[in-house]
């Protein structure tokens, strides 16, 4: 996600459904209290996760 990949592309790489990717994405955003991927990426960089 931080690399700008779409859910469809991530799903293909991981051999899972797009719905699964979107569910994980939603759960990650919720866990980190972020409203979008840009905010999540910023938080992860700040915390040294990526």
């Amino acid at each position: 996600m931080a690399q700008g990949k779409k859910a469809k592309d991530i799903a293909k790489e991981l051999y899972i459904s797009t719905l699964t990717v979107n569910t994980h994405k939603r759960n990650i955003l919720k866990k980190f209290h972020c409203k979008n991927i840009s905010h999540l990426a910023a938080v992860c960089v700040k915390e040294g996760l990526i």
Side-chain angles (χ1 to χ4, degrees):
M1 290 184 296
Q3 296 173 348
K5 293 183 180 183
K6 300 204 182 290
K8 185 172 102 175
D9 299 326
I10 294 169
K12 272 187 178 180
E13 283 185 37
L14 299 177
Y15 302 103
I16 58 177
S17 76
T18 304
L19 180 62
T20 302
V21 173
N22 287 329
T23 299
H24 285 303
K25 176 181 161 183
R26 184 176 60 246
N27 291 338
I28 291 167
L29 289 171
K30 189 175 180 181
K31 184 174 186 172
F32 282 89
H33 307 287
C34 296
K35 295 191 184 238
N36 57 47
I37 295 301
S38 298
H39 184 216
L40 177 64
V43 169
C44 289
V45 168
K46 182 179 175 186
E47 297 295 324
L49 299 172
I50 57 173

